[in-house]
Amino acid sequence: AQSVTQPDIHITVSEGASLELRCNYSYGATPYLFWYVQSPGQGLQLLLKYFSGDTLVQGIKGFEAEFKRSQSSFNLRKPSVHWSDAAEYFCAVGGLLTGGGNKLTFGTGTQLKVEL
Amino acid sequence: DAGVIQSPRHEVTEMGQEVTLRCKPISGHNSLFWYRQTMMRGLELLIYFNNNVPIDDSGMPEDRFSAKMPNASFSTLKIQPSEPRDSAVYFCAISLADRYNEQFFGPGTRLTVL
């Protein structure tokens, strides 16, 4: 069975500081990995995804993530955080569904607070 | 969010009442998903449709929950009768036929059952 662990429930960083959000996954084959962001009262927005190829993937809003198979990790990073990045971040792992499509298993989320 | 419309955005009802949540996806999708989000359980997949056919409903918590997709542009999630523990945010998500690995989420319906 696939699973995702986000060990940090809450993280607080100062504006302008660097950020790394941790994500570890369990999956029996090559995983499809995703990071989503959820602002208060909103749905989930895709930040970036990894399917294959280059293990460092770039996303929207200046985010990037690195897939490390040996560590079963897919950590999200941003060099300089902006106050508008305050939100909840979800890591997800995907597996193929019958007939196509992709079932996503989500982590429990990391709430990011940005101090001005 | 622009690709998936959910209604209502907020619903407050009393225990025992029937609740119907609606999802209107953009065209071009081949899969539709219903999720529930709570503080205690996080994001849970309830049911998944592929080409309008229910494929996996193992996440539906009880027989009180049912979902339909009568056509490609409309889906409903019904709770009858509703209970306070059903209070949550319910999301509809889709994946597109040519980008089947990504899911696009609607804004959600916040349900409160008193």
Side-chain angles (χ1 to χ4, degrees), chain A residues 32 34 36 38 41-44 46 49 51 88 90 96-104 106, chain B residues 1 9 30-31 33 35 37 43 45 48 50 55-56 91 95 99-103 105-107:
Chain A
Y32 299 147
F34 305 81
Y36 283 84
Q38 184 180 28
Q42 302 296 316
L44 278 70
L46 181 67
K49 62 188 182 235
F51 296 153
E88 188 155 22
F90 292 91
L96 290 178
L97 289 164
T98 302
N102 196 21
K103 175 180 179 177
L104 296 184
F106 287 86
Chain B
D1 289 357
R9 292 294 309 274
N30 65 334
S31 300
F33 306 81
Y35 289 88
Q37 185 179 36
L43 265 166
L45 176 64
Y48 143 69
N50 191 43
I55 302 297
D56 181 0
F91 289 103
S95 57
R99 296 170 67 180
Y100 63 89
N101 289 300
E102 298 180 34
Q103 290 188 20
F105 283 74

